[in-house]
Amino acid sequence: MVIAVYPGTFDPPTFGHMDIIVRAASLVDELTVGIYENPGKQPLFSLEERVSLVQEAIAGLSNVQVRAFKGLTVDFIHEMGGRVMIRGLRANSDFEREFEMALMNRKLAPDIELLCLMTSSQYQFLSSTLIKEVAKLGGCLEGMVPNHVAAALRDKFPVHGELAIGKGKM
Ligand code: ADP
């Protein structure tokens, strides 16, 4: 039985995250999407909001669940009974960061294996940070985030959002 955890901030979840979730879920028996509070990043969405946005996005995936966590990711993975950490890679910069974190995590928890999935090319440019920038400036988010995430962004940035999301570029 392979139990894996896909940790991240998910502020907000994008189709890039969803692609990794669906592909990872097909490789393992159970996948937990672990959402960390990450106050250092000053998330736009609260922890509860991010949990419910991911929850709605994974509806229909029978072996995937969502949990919030604080503290060390490796401790959370142990709590879940997992041995595999899933991460997504977009570019060289992701690789360097993941490599560094992986070496630290191996030191902390040698029993946990990191499994990095390469982004699908159509999502290579997608990041939560860019999505928030685009939403703030009133750009169209079609094909980048699920509809309910676009609606949640529209609530956070009402003026531009109402004008633009779903109605083409400004
Ligand atoms: P973190 O703060 O841990 O980087 P994120 O929510 O930004 O949290 O990302 C979580 C994971 O998802 C990371 O491994 C990141 O590289 C991956 N990821 C984010 N966007 C994409 C994408 N478009 N394609 C593939 N992987 C992605």
Side-chain angles (χ1 to χ4, degrees), residues 37-104:
E37 193 175 21
N38 214 345
K41 267 196 173 178
Q42 297 189 312
L44 173 67
F45 292 96
S46 71
L47 189 59
E48 293 71 27
E49 286 171 326
R50 283 177 277 145
V51 167
S52 88
L53 289 174
V54 175
Q55 193 85 59
E56 194 168 338
I58 60 153
L61 293 172
S62 58
N63 63 337
V64 183
Q65 58 170 354
V66 187
R67 292 278 183 280
F69 74 97
K70 291 175 186 173
L72 284 177
T73 303
V74 288
D75 289 346
F76 174 66
I77 297 174
H78 282 151
E79 249 171 65
M80 292 291 109
R83 276 202 53 225
V84 177
M85 180 184 328
I86 305 284
R87 297 285 286 175
L89 289 183
R90 283 160 296 188
N92 275 350
S93 50
D94 274 352
F95 174 80
E96 278 168 27
R97 190 163 154 263
E98 295 299 334
F99 190 52
E100 211 176 77
M101 282 199 308
L103 293 179
M104 173 55 81

Side-chain angles (χ1 to χ4, degrees), residues 6-10 16-17 20 36 38 41 87-88 90 94 97-98 119 123 126:
Y6 177 30
T9 312
F10 301 97
H17 291 122
I20 299 293
Y36 47 72
N38 214 345
K41 267 196 173 178
R87 297 285 286 175
R90 283 160 296 188
D94 274 352
R97 190 163 154 263
E98 295 299 334
T119 185
Y123 302 128
L126 266 188

Side-chain angles (χ1 to χ4, degrees), residues 28-44:
V28 303
D29 296 295
E30 277 176 22
L31 177 69
T32 298
V33 182
I35 305 191
Y36 47 72
E37 193 175 21
N38 214 345
K41 267 196 173 178
Q42 297 189 312
L44 173 67

